[in-house]
Structure formats: structure tokens, C-alpha cells
Amino acid sequence: MCNEDMLKELKILQEKYEEELSQILSKIPDAEKEYVTFSGLTVKPLYTPHDIAKTDFLQDISFPGQYPYTRSVFPAGYLSRRLNIRQVTGVGTAEETNKRWKFLLSHGASALSFVKDDGSGARADSDDERVKGLVGRCGVVLDTLYDYETLFDGIDMTKYPVHMITSTAYALACYLIIAEKRGIDFKKLRGSMSNWMRPENECIDMLEYCTRNVPLFNIGYLDMRNVREGGCTAAQEIAFGVATTMAGSNALIAKGIGIDDFLHRVTWFINSGPDFFEEVAKFRALRRVWARIFRERYNAENPNSLLCRMHCQTFAPTLTKQQPFNNLIRSTIYALAAIMGGVQSLHVNSFDEALAIPTEFSALLSVRTQQIIDLETGVTSVIDPLGGSYYVEWLTNKLEEEAISIIDTIQSLGGAFKAWDWMCNEIRKAAMRSQEELDTGKRLLVGVNTLVDEDDIQMRALKVLEEHADFECISEYDPAVLDRQIARLNKVKRERDDGKLKRAMNVLLEVLRAGENMMPPLIEAVKCGMTQGEFAGLKSEAYNQAGEGPYLCSPPMVLA
């Protein structure tokens, strides 16, 4: 980015500066200790044009909305498309989560999502003894189409982008049936779900069905946020997600679907963690890696296929029970990195998430965090505000380089679907390193391994709130949710036509066994009153995947 004469002159001046700097730091205890980022990159105290001398502005950085989209997928960034404020919600029954949705919307949330109580949608129905104690505990319980209809009651599906945090085709079937009942054309229906790319028929069937019938629905999904929290590094987060998309793309191409027919409907769920500049650089590097891989290796021609769009959730493993209000500060900094990195949608973890699921009180603070960053700081008024920083550009280059190297390793192992176990092992090794750093005090966490406060005034303040506030301060699980849900489930089973349901389920079972696309018969069976647990049972029978515990078939394959 600089001419040779300037770099030569700069080198002489830099050597002189570094000598002076070394003398200063040598007199300060621990000041010369190298800093290693959260992902293990060793960084220097200062970066200059020398560190990005090989970077070509037009080829590597360019303008927002232009290939390779390093700076933004949209030309005007947040100036034309505001940040979607989307808090994950999952409280008790469908009625309770619907109420929370309406509360968040009334306070400025601009998008919605829900998480099921088992995280996947593969468990037995709520009247099964094996799920006792699980029902509605860490998410919303949804057993039937009736539950989904209650959840979406009064919610304008054409106005608010809804994301379903579940990988089951049962949820997609319910969503489509509700849209059909409301007269929404499938060709215009939007939304998204956590159908993370994985080597399973259910995943590929949903991708194929939506590509052909619901073209604006974001059906492809990379859940790298949870993988990151499982322990992987920033470079692995990029590489494993892109490599998994490559494997899913290969499966769809083998079915005769073109890369530009579906790639533009694949979105990311990504993390924003503690290392501020590394996180900003990660979002920039990801957009560049995505665009280059799919243009250079898959010949994607539709510009929309090359736009890496992201929903981000702030990092949870560093949220602490100790000094819990510190978590407000942590999540705010993580959110700032995500916004400066240019994500499209954001969830900010609430301060109480190390203690319980968020209350209205804590969830509203998370919404306000995003609104303050957006409305009061000026951060969203400039596109890619850290672009051009020698340090951030160096980090972006470094993460891209490492991610491409990992992707090539995965490809040499036969692609992500065949390298699944290898990726899991790599994540576990990274997780062990990270945990050891915290356990040994090499990496500091305020309130846990440094600045510990035996007389924790923040916990005392929280206790006072719990005892005297006229609102719920810390969420507590209500065991009565089980009785309420079983009553709802019994209503569905009592009112459905068993003969019609049996015929629909038999058709679905034969389709599953034949390996044909399950979505059309699944939709018909759900309309007849088939429950989520009964669908899981059919999959278990068809695929011979009898599982253990509350699952009627194996939970979806997930990394980490």
C-alpha cells in the first residue's frame, strides 16, 4: 500500500523507535511480556505500513458492498440497513414466549427468535417421563402445530424477521403451515432457522425443499457461535463454517441444484468475544474468505451468493456468577466489536445468564445496550470505522491466511462431512488450551482469577433487588409449566382424527425409508396433528437411530 522509497525510510525510523521502546519497556515489570490474543495470535506493541505492505487496497480491502466485501456486504452499511436487534427468547410455554416477544417488540426490538427447551427439537413429547424436568426449562416447549400457532399469535410474519433456533424439519413444517393459513405466498415468505449444515437427510431435504419452493427463506445455516463457545479459535470459526458450507454445497450440487440457487440463502450465526480487535478483524476476514472461496472454487456468479451475512451473539463463557453486573460491561464491549465489524443482526447476552435465563428486566437492558451503541455513540455512522488501521488490517490478513490453510487441510481429508471427527478433536484441543489459560491465571477474568471480591457488593445488590423489587429479578423455573403443557398436548391428541393421522404418518415413514424428500408428506402429517415427538419416533424407526435419554433419535450432529 506504500511505495518502496517510503518503506525504506520508514524501516530506518522504525528500527530507531523500536530500540527506544525496548529501553523503556525493559524498566517496567512484565511490560515486555508478549501479548497473545484469545485465539493464540502473538501480537506486537505497534503496527506500521510495513505490516501490510503486500496488501492491495482494491484486491483485498476495496469499498463497502464491493468484492471481496471485506468492509461490508452493503455499500452504505448501517446507513441503509439498520442493525436488527434480535434477542433469543425461550420462556416456558408458547403463551409465555409470545408474551415476551411482544414485550421486546414494544421496547424497540426489530427481529425475533426463539429457542426450544431441548435446543434441537428431537426429543420426546412433554408427556413422556424421560423429559420430566426438561419441559420449558431452558427454552420454550413446542410439541405441536397448536403450540407454534400460539407462539406466532399476533406476530406479523411479513414485518418481523423470525429466526427459529432449532434444526428440526418439524419446525419448518409448522412455520410454512402458519404462513399458508395466513395467505402468505411461499415465494415471498422470509425467515430463517438453525438448519446447520451437516451430513443428515433432514438437513439436505430442508435445503432442497426451500431452494425450490421458499426461495427467500434463509434455510442454510452455519452455527459457529456455539462452536466458538465450545472452544475453537477465531480462524477455526471461519474455516470450519466455510468448509461445512462447501460440503453442504457439494451435496446439493449432486442433486442438480446450482450454487447460485441456494448459496445466497445461507447465513451465519457467529460469536463476538473478548479480544476486541481480533473479533472486528474476524468479521472482516470471514466476508473475504467466503467471497473468495465461492467465487474462485465454485464459480458463483450471483453477487448475492458472495455476501456473507451474519447474526451475532455475544460471548457467554466469560459471563460470571461473581460480580454479575460486570457482565453488562463485558457484553457491551463484545457488542461494540460486532457492530464495528459490520454484522447484520445481534443478540447481546444479559448480565444474569450465568445465573438463569434472562428476565424482562435483564433482556430489556440487552436491547438498550444495542440502542445506545446505535443511537448515542456515532459508531454506526461510519462504515468499517477501523478499516485502514495497520493492526486491524494485519489481523484480518492473518486470520484469512490461517482460515484458508485450515480449509485446505479439511479438503485434503475429503471435505468437512468426512473430516467431522477431526474438526471436533481440533476444537477440543483448542478448548483445553483456553481452559488451562484461565485455570492457571495466564488469562485473566475479573472476579474469578483476579480482582476477586470476597464481600461481593454486586451480589448483595442483586439480592436486595430480588427481595424488594416488584418485578422478576432472577428467573426461576416453574414446575407447573409441565402440567400446562400436557394439557395443551392432550387437547391436540383428543381433537385429531387418528385414522387420518395414521395414514399420513405411514406415507411419511415410507418416504423417509426411500430417502426421498420428507418435507411434502411431513407438512401433511403435521396438518393432521402429528406431534414433534411422533415425528422424532418415525425418524428413529426409518433411520434405525434409536437414542438414549429423552431423545427418540440421535440429536443432530454438531461440532464441539
Side-chain angles (χ1 to χ4, degrees):
M1 293 181 69
C2 300
N3 64 52
E4 289 296 323
D5 290 341
M6 183 269 203
L7 288 174
K8 287 179 182 176
E9 183 179 354
L10 181 65
K11 185 178 181 182
I12 296 171
L13 293 172
Q14 186 167 334
E15 287 174 351
K16 183 178 178 183
Y17 163 78
E18 288 175 348
E19 184 179 339
E20 181 182 357
L21 177 67
S22 180
Q23 290 175 359
I24 294 171
L25 296 181
S26 66
K27 300 173 184 174
I28 305 172
D30 294 331
E32 287 189 299
K33 187 171 67 175
E34 64 181 18
Y35 176 71
V36 179
T37 70
F38 214 75
S39 292
L41 300 179
T42 301
V43 300
K44 303 183 298 183
L46 185 77
Y47 285 79
T48 72
H50 266 295
D51 296 294
I52 55 171
K54 294 182 180 178
T55 300
D56 183 301
F57 178 81
L58 292 178
Q59 295 294 320
D60 301 320
I61 302 174
S62 193
F63 293 93
Q66 294 184 16
Y67 185 84
Y69 307 101
T70 305
R71 312 197 71 176
S72 171
V73 293
F74 303 124
Y78 296 124
L79 298 175
S80 62
R81 295 173 185 248
R82 309 304 301 179
L83 178 73
N84 269 336
I85 299 174
R86 186 201 305 265
Q87 291 299 117
V88 175
T89 308
V91 187
T93 64
E95 293 110 317
E96 291 154 333
T97 296
N98 175 269
K99 181 183 174 187
R100 176 66 64 83
W101 269 4
K102 291 174 178 173
F103 171 81
L104 293 171
L105 290 175
S106 71
H107 288 81
S110 53
L112 298 168
S113 71
F114 71 81
V115 61
K116 288 171 58 60
D117 56 9
D118 68 338
S120 70
R123 72 161 171 78
D125 285 333
S126 296
D127 56 359
D128 191 304
E129 278 294 313
R130 291 172 295 176
V131 302
K132 195 173 182 179
L134 176 67
V135 175
R137 180 178 284 276
C138 293
V140 59
V141 50
L142 299 167
D143 288 317
T144 66
L145 173 60
Y146 174 45
D147 291 329
Y148 281 86
E149 289 175 326
T150 301
L151 177 66
F152 281 85
D153 181 53
I155 302 298
D156 187 345
M157 297 167 69
T158 64
K159 181 178 180 180
Y160 297 108
V162 176
H163 181 80
M164 302 184 287
I165 304 176
T166 175
S167 59
T168 176
Y170 188 89
L172 176 61
C174 291
Y175 189 79
L176 295 177
I177 293 168
I178 294 170
E180 185 182 54
K181 286 184 176 181
R182 295 183 182 185
I184 303 171
D185 185 347
F186 280 8
K187 299 294 183 187
K188 299 178 180 177
L189 180 63
R190 295 181 181 275
S192 56
M193 68 179 292
S194 300
N195 179 36
W196 47 80
M197 296 281 199
R198 58 194 187 279
E200 290 185 342
N201 290 353
E202 190 169 3
C203 168
I204 303 301
D205 283 0
M206 285 190 281
L207 283 163
E208 181 183 19
Y209 182 85
C210 286
T211 297
R212 299 189 192 281
N213 301 286
V214 200
L216 298 182
F217 189 86
N218 292 324
I219 187 61
Y221 191 73
L222 281 307
D223 179 5
M224 301 312 295
R225 181 257 176 180
N226 289 309
V227 177
R228 180 69 186 276
E229 297 199 346
C232 79
T233 67
Q236 288 173 332
E237 189 178 4
I238 298 171
F240 293 166
V242 171
T244 303
T245 309
M246 293 166 72
S249 298
N250 293 340
L252 287 173
I253 291 169
K255 287 177 173 283
I257 300 174
I259 187 76
D260 285 322
D261 293 332
F262 62 87
L263 192 59
H264 61 295
R265 288 298 154 201
V266 177
T267 59
W268 280 68
F269 182 29
I270 196 162
N271 207 285
S272 185
D275 212 297
F276 184 85
F277 292 106
E278 183 174 76
E279 292 302 297
V280 174
K282 179 188 71 183
F283 301 121
R284 304 174 85 250
L286 171 56
R287 285 192 289 269
R288 189 191 295 171
V289 171
W290 178 272
R292 284 179 165 163
I293 286 285
F294 287 102
R295 188 166 91 164
E296 294 172 6
R297 302 193 189 186
Y298 283 81
N299 299 317
E301 296 179 350
N302 182 349
N304 289 334
S305 299
L306 305 179
L307 304 183
C308 183
R309 295 164 298 140
M310 312 170 209
H311 169 70
C312 179
Q313 183 166 343
T314 54
F315 197 68
T318 49
L319 301 188
T320 61
K321 290 183 179 178
Q322 303 90 334
Q323 305 177 34
F325 293 110
N326 292 350
N327 297 329
L328 284 167
I329 302 161
R330 291 189 178 100
S331 292
T332 299
I333 295 170
Y334 305 165
L336 185 62
I339 293 173
M340 296 187 86
V343 303
Q344 280 67 61
S345 172
L346 182 62
H347 165 107
V348 172
N349 285 332
S350 298
F351 77 91
D352 54 352
E353 292 195 33
L355 302 165
I357 62 171
T359 61
E360 285 187 352
F361 168 59
S362 63
L364 180 57
L365 283 171
S366 294
V367 171
R368 292 288 185 252
T369 300
Q370 297 173 70
Q371 292 165 329
I372 289 170
I373 293 174
D374 184 22
L375 301 175
E376 298 184 10
T377 66
V379 166
T380 55
S381 298
V382 175
I383 308 162
D384 188 30
L386 290 178
S389 154
Y390 304 126
Y391 179 38
V392 171
E393 295 296 353
W394 176 83
L395 275 171
T396 304
N397 294 344
K398 187 69 176 173
L399 288 172
E400 179 191 18
E401 178 185 324
E402 289 208 2
I404 292 290
S405 175
I406 296 168
I407 290 169
D408 288 339
T409 298
I410 293 170
Q411 294 305 100
S412 72
L413 295 172
F417 287 174
K418 292 183 179 177
W420 205 264
D421 290 342
W422 179 83
M423 291 193 292
C424 288
N425 285 332
E426 291 298 299
I427 293 165
R428 291 183 189 118
K429 284 191 282 187
M432 285 295 293
R433 283 196 298 271
S434 178
Q435 189 60 49
E436 285 172 0
E437 287 178 357
L438 288 169
D439 292 345
T440 60
K442 184 177 180 181
R443 190 166 299 283
L444 301 179
L445 187 60
V446 171
V448 176
N449 62 11
T450 186
L451 303 175
V452 174
D453 187 355
E454 298 297 339
D455 182 22
D456 191 337
I457 193 171
Q458 295 186 29
M459 283 302 293
R460 286 162 46 203
L462 195 59
K463 190 173 180 181
V464 170
L465 269 178
E466 278 187 274
E467 292 175 353
H468 300 288
D470 62 355
F471 55 86
E472 186 182 35
C473 183
I474 294 293
S475 177
E476 291 188 15
Y477 178 63
D478 177 9
V481 71
L482 176 62
D483 295 332
R484 296 199 293 274
Q485 182 59 24
I486 289 178
R488 292 179 59 86
L489 185 58
N490 288 340
K491 178 179 184 299
V492 171
K493 290 184 175 178
R494 187 170 59 246
E495 294 178 356
R496 65 190 184 182
D497 182 331
D498 289 338
K500 191 175 177 183
L501 172 63
K502 185 176 181 181
R503 289 191 293 276
M505 289 179 66
N506 285 339
V507 172
L508 175 57
L509 180 59
E510 291 307 310
V511 166
L512 291 173
R513 284 173 169 162
E516 299 169 2
N517 195 297
M518 67 177 72
M519 285 308 303
L522 171 60
I523 291 171
E524 292 308 311
V526 174
K527 286 179 178 176
C528 292
M530 184 179 70
T531 67
Q532 166 195 269
E534 288 167 340
F535 174 54
L538 282 187
K539 286 190 294 181
S540 174
E541 184 176 347
Y543 302 146
N544 192 25
Q545 288 182 323
E548 297 178 351
Y551 293 96
L552 285 178
C553 60
S554 298
M557 295 179 68
V558 294
L559 289 170

PDB file of all heavy atoms in Angstrom, residues 532-551:
ATOM      1  N   GLN A 532     -44.325 -33.343  17.559  1.00  0.00           N
ATOM      2  CA  GLN A 532     -42.864 -33.354  17.376  1.00  0.00           C
ATOM      3  C   GLN A 532     -42.263 -34.690  17.794  1.00  0.00           C
ATOM      4  O   GLN A 532     -41.413 -35.258  17.112  1.00  0.00           O
ATOM      5  CB  GLN A 532     -42.260 -32.240  18.217  1.00  0.00           C
ATOM      6  CG  GLN A 532     -40.759 -32.331  18.383  1.00  0.00           C
ATOM      7  CD  GLN A 532     -40.266 -31.438  19.517  1.00  0.00           C
ATOM      8  OE1 GLN A 532     -39.923 -30.293  19.279  1.00  0.00           O
ATOM      9  NE2 GLN A 532     -40.248 -31.940  20.750  1.00  0.00           N
ATOM     10  N   GLY A 533     -42.713 -35.218  18.927  1.00  0.00           N
ATOM     11  CA  GLY A 533     -42.175 -36.485  19.417  1.00  0.00           C
ATOM     12  C   GLY A 533     -42.515 -37.643  18.490  1.00  0.00           C
ATOM     13  O   GLY A 533     -41.704 -38.559  18.306  1.00  0.00           O
ATOM     14  N   GLU A 534     -43.696 -37.607  17.903  1.00  0.00           N
ATOM     15  CA  GLU A 534     -44.070 -38.682  16.960  1.00  0.00           C
ATOM     16  C   GLU A 534     -43.219 -38.605  15.700  1.00  0.00           C
ATOM     17  O   GLU A 534     -42.850 -39.636  15.123  1.00  0.00           O
ATOM     18  CB  GLU A 534     -45.559 -38.560  16.635  1.00  0.00           C
ATOM     19  CG  GLU A 534     -46.449 -38.966  17.824  1.00  0.00           C
ATOM     20  CD  GLU A 534     -47.904 -38.568  17.655  1.00  0.00           C
ATOM     21  OE1 GLU A 534     -48.193 -37.663  16.825  1.00  0.00           O
ATOM     22  OE2 GLU A 534     -48.750 -39.121  18.375  1.00  0.00           O
ATOM     23  N   PHE A 535     -42.886 -37.392  15.260  1.00  0.00           N
ATOM     24  CA  PHE A 535     -42.000 -37.253  14.104  1.00  0.00           C
ATOM     25  C   PHE A 535     -40.606 -37.797  14.443  1.00  0.00           C
ATOM     26  O   PHE A 535     -39.995 -38.521  13.651  1.00  0.00           O
ATOM     27  CB  PHE A 535     -41.912 -35.780  13.697  1.00  0.00           C
ATOM     28  CG  PHE A 535     -40.911 -35.512  12.607  1.00  0.00           C
ATOM     29  CD1 PHE A 535     -40.954 -36.215  11.407  1.00  0.00           C
ATOM     30  CD2 PHE A 535     -39.917 -34.552  12.763  1.00  0.00           C
ATOM     31  CE1 PHE A 535     -40.031 -35.970  10.391  1.00  0.00           C
ATOM     32  CE2 PHE A 535     -38.995 -34.297  11.764  1.00  0.00           C
ATOM     33  CZ  PHE A 535     -39.045 -35.011  10.578  1.00  0.00           C
ATOM     34  N   ALA A 536     -40.124 -37.459  15.630  1.00  0.00           N
ATOM     35  CA  ALA A 536     -38.820 -37.982  16.049  1.00  0.00           C
ATOM     36  C   ALA A 536     -38.848 -39.505  16.095  1.00  0.00           C
ATOM     37  O   ALA A 536     -37.867 -40.169  15.732  1.00  0.00           O
ATOM     38  CB  ALA A 536     -38.444 -37.404  17.413  1.00  0.00           C
ATOM     39  N   GLY A 537     -39.976 -40.063  16.526  1.00  0.00           N
ATOM     40  CA  GLY A 537     -40.113 -41.522  16.566  1.00  0.00           C
ATOM     41  C   GLY A 537     -40.053 -42.139  15.177  1.00  0.00           C
ATOM     42  O   GLY A 537     -39.441 -43.195  14.978  1.00  0.00           O
ATOM     43  N   LEU A 538     -40.699 -41.495  14.204  1.00  0.00           N
ATOM     44  CA  LEU A 538     -40.652 -42.002  12.823  1.00  0.00           C
ATOM     45  C   LEU A 538     -39.227 -41.983  12.285  1.00  0.00           C
ATOM     46  O   LEU A 538     -38.780 -42.928  11.620  1.00  0.00           O
ATOM     47  CB  LEU A 538     -41.549 -41.152  11.918  1.00  0.00           C
ATOM     48  CG  LEU A 538     -43.058 -41.386  11.972  1.00  0.00           C
ATOM     49  CD1 LEU A 538     -43.746 -40.570  10.882  1.00  0.00           C
ATOM     50  CD2 LEU A 538     -43.400 -42.858  11.818  1.00  0.00           C
ATOM     51  N   LYS A 539     -38.511 -40.900  12.550  1.00  0.00           N
ATOM     52  CA  LYS A 539     -37.117 -40.823  12.083  1.00  0.00           C
ATOM     53  C   LYS A 539     -36.286 -41.928  12.728  1.00  0.00           C
ATOM     54  O   LYS A 539     -35.444 -42.562  12.066  1.00  0.00           O
ATOM     55  CB  LYS A 539     -36.520 -39.453  12.428  1.00  0.00           C
ATOM     56  CG  LYS A 539     -37.015 -38.319  11.557  1.00  0.00           C
ATOM     57  CD  LYS A 539     -36.205 -37.055  11.782  1.00  0.00           C
ATOM     58  CE  LYS A 539     -36.390 -36.515  13.175  1.00  0.00           C
ATOM     59  NZ  LYS A 539     -35.629 -35.278  13.418  1.00  0.00           N
ATOM     60  N   SER A 540     -36.536 -42.152  14.004  1.00  0.00           N
ATOM     61  CA  SER A 540     -35.798 -43.197  14.703  1.00  0.00           C
ATOM     62  C   SER A 540     -36.038 -44.554  14.055  1.00  0.00           C
ATOM     63  O   SER A 540     -35.113 -45.344  13.845  1.00  0.00           O
ATOM     64  CB  SER A 540     -36.229 -43.220  16.175  1.00  0.00           C
ATOM     65  OG  SER A 540     -35.646 -44.304  16.847  1.00  0.00           O
ATOM     66  N   GLU A 541     -37.303 -44.802  13.691  1.00  0.00           N
ATOM     67  CA  GLU A 541     -37.660 -46.093  13.067  1.00  0.00           C
ATOM     68  C   GLU A 541     -37.084 -46.198  11.651  1.00  0.00           C
ATOM     69  O   GLU A 541     -36.525 -47.226  11.267  1.00  0.00           O
ATOM     70  CB  GLU A 541     -39.185 -46.210  13.033  1.00  0.00           C
ATOM     71  CG  GLU A 541     -39.682 -47.546  12.499  1.00  0.00           C
ATOM     72  CD  GLU A 541     -41.202 -47.654  12.565  1.00  0.00           C
ATOM     73  OE1 GLU A 541     -41.842 -46.821  13.241  1.00  0.00           O
ATOM     74  OE2 GLU A 541     -41.744 -48.569  11.917  1.00  0.00           O
ATOM     75  N   ALA A 542     -37.195 -45.120  10.888  1.00  0.00           N
ATOM     76  CA  ALA A 542     -36.741 -45.162   9.493  1.00  0.00           C
ATOM     77  C   ALA A 542     -35.226 -45.275   9.386  1.00  0.00           C
ATOM     78  O   ALA A 542     -34.698 -45.976   8.528  1.00  0.00           O
ATOM     79  CB  ALA A 542     -37.228 -43.919   8.759  1.00  0.00           C
ATOM     80  N   TYR A 543     -34.532 -44.545  10.244  1.00  0.00           N
ATOM     81  CA  TYR A 543     -33.077 -44.497  10.138  1.00  0.00           C
ATOM     82  C   TYR A 543     -32.381 -45.434  11.121  1.00  0.00           C
ATOM     83  O   TYR A 543     -31.153 -45.445  11.206  1.00  0.00           O
ATOM     84  CB  TYR A 543     -32.580 -43.067  10.377  1.00  0.00           C
ATOM     85  CG  TYR A 543     -33.151 -42.046   9.421  1.00  0.00           C
ATOM     86  CD1 TYR A 543     -33.409 -40.746   9.826  1.00  0.00           C
ATOM     87  CD2 TYR A 543     -33.431 -42.378   8.095  1.00  0.00           C
ATOM     88  CE1 TYR A 543     -33.932 -39.802   8.948  1.00  0.00           C
ATOM     89  CE2 TYR A 543     -33.961 -41.454   7.213  1.00  0.00           C
ATOM     90  CZ  TYR A 543     -34.207 -40.165   7.649  1.00  0.00           C
ATOM     91  OH  TYR A 543     -34.718 -39.238   6.775  1.00  0.00           O
ATOM     92  N   ASN A 544     -33.183 -46.172  11.906  1.00  0.00           N
ATOM     93  CA  ASN A 544     -32.613 -47.095  12.896  1.00  0.00           C
ATOM     94  C   ASN A 544     -31.640 -46.369  13.804  1.00  0.00           C
ATOM     95  O   ASN A 544     -30.500 -46.769  14.003  1.00  0.00           O
ATOM     96  CB  ASN A 544     -31.904 -48.272  12.198  1.00  0.00           C
ATOM     97  CG  ASN A 544     -31.560 -49.389  13.169  1.00  0.00           C
ATOM     98  OD1 ASN A 544     -32.208 -49.538  14.213  1.00  0.00           O
ATOM     99  ND2 ASN A 544     -30.531 -50.147  12.851  1.00  0.00           N
ATOM    100  N   GLN A 545     -32.122 -45.222  14.340  1.00  0.00           N
ATOM    101  CA  GLN A 545     -31.256 -44.377  15.160  1.00  0.00           C
ATOM    102  C   GLN A 545     -31.783 -44.263  16.584  1.00  0.00           C
ATOM    103  O   GLN A 545     -31.804 -43.165  17.139  1.00  0.00           O
ATOM    104  CB  GLN A 545     -31.166 -42.975  14.560  1.00  0.00           C
ATOM    105  CG  GLN A 545     -30.356 -42.903  13.289  1.00  0.00           C
ATOM    106  CD  GLN A 545     -30.276 -41.481  12.778  1.00  0.00           C
ATOM    107  OE1 GLN A 545     -31.227 -40.718  12.873  1.00  0.00           O
ATOM    108  NE2 GLN A 545     -29.140 -41.120  12.227  1.00  0.00           N
ATOM    109  N   ALA A 546     -32.248 -45.352  17.130  1.00  0.00           N
ATOM    110  CA  ALA A 546     -32.768 -45.277  18.492  1.00  0.00           C
ATOM    111  C   ALA A 546     -31.724 -44.686  19.414  1.00  0.00           C
ATOM    112  O   ALA A 546     -30.590 -45.147  19.482  1.00  0.00           O
ATOM    113  CB  ALA A 546     -33.151 -46.664  18.969  1.00  0.00           C
ATOM    114  N   GLY A 547     -32.097 -43.642  20.135  1.00  0.00           N
ATOM    115  CA  GLY A 547     -31.141 -42.971  21.003  1.00  0.00           C
ATOM    116  C   GLY A 547     -31.410 -43.274  22.463  1.00  0.00           C
ATOM    117  O   GLY A 547     -32.181 -44.147  22.809  1.00  0.00           O
ATOM    118  N   GLU A 548     -30.765 -42.519  23.317  1.00  0.00           N
ATOM    119  CA  GLU A 548     -30.923 -42.732  24.746  1.00  0.00           C
ATOM    120  C   GLU A 548     -31.503 -41.468  25.376  1.00  0.00           C
ATOM    121  O   GLU A 548     -31.651 -40.437  24.728  1.00  0.00           O
ATOM    122  CB  GLU A 548     -29.569 -43.061  25.368  1.00  0.00           C
ATOM    123  CG  GLU A 548     -28.975 -44.356  24.824  1.00  0.00           C
ATOM    124  CD  GLU A 548     -27.614 -44.625  25.425  1.00  0.00           C
ATOM    125  OE1 GLU A 548     -27.086 -43.737  26.107  1.00  0.00           O
ATOM    126  OE2 GLU A 548     -27.099 -45.724  25.207  1.00  0.00           O
ATOM    127  N   GLY A 549     -31.796 -41.541  26.651  1.00  0.00           N
ATOM    128  CA  GLY A 549     -32.304 -40.378  27.364  1.00  0.00           C
ATOM    129  C   GLY A 549     -33.592 -39.877  26.740  1.00  0.00           C
ATOM    130  O   GLY A 549     -34.418 -40.655  26.282  1.00  0.00           O
ATOM    131  N   PRO A 550     -33.769 -38.567  26.704  1.00  0.00           N
ATOM    132  CA  PRO A 550     -35.030 -38.017  26.210  1.00  0.00           C
ATOM    133  C   PRO A 550     -35.155 -38.034  24.700  1.00  0.00           C
ATOM    134  O   PRO A 550     -36.200 -37.708  24.171  1.00  0.00           O
ATOM    135  CB  PRO A 550     -34.988 -36.581  26.737  1.00  0.00           C
ATOM    136  CG  PRO A 550     -33.542 -36.248  26.799  1.00  0.00           C
ATOM    137  CD  PRO A 550     -32.862 -37.531  27.189  1.00  0.00           C
ATOM    138  N   TYR A 551     -34.095 -38.388  24.005  1.00  0.00           N
ATOM    139  CA  TYR A 551     -34.131 -38.305  22.553  1.00  0.00           C
ATOM    140  C   TYR A 551     -34.644 -39.605  21.939  1.00  0.00           C
ATOM    141  O   TYR A 551     -34.151 -40.695  22.238  1.00  0.00           O
ATOM    142  CB  TYR A 551     -32.749 -37.985  21.995  1.00  0.00           C
ATOM    143  CG  TYR A 551     -32.299 -36.605  22.381  1.00  0.00           C
ATOM    144  CD1 TYR A 551     -31.491 -36.421  23.489  1.00  0.00           C
ATOM    145  CD2 TYR A 551     -32.723 -35.494  21.662  1.00  0.00           C
ATOM    146  CE1 TYR A 551     -31.101 -35.145  23.869  1.00  0.00           C
ATOM    147  CE2 TYR A 551     -32.334 -34.219  22.038  1.00  0.00           C
ATOM    148  CZ  TYR A 551     -31.525 -34.051  23.140  1.00  0.00           C
ATOM    149  OH  TYR A 551     -31.155 -32.805  23.512  1.00  0.00           O
TER     150      TYR A 551
END
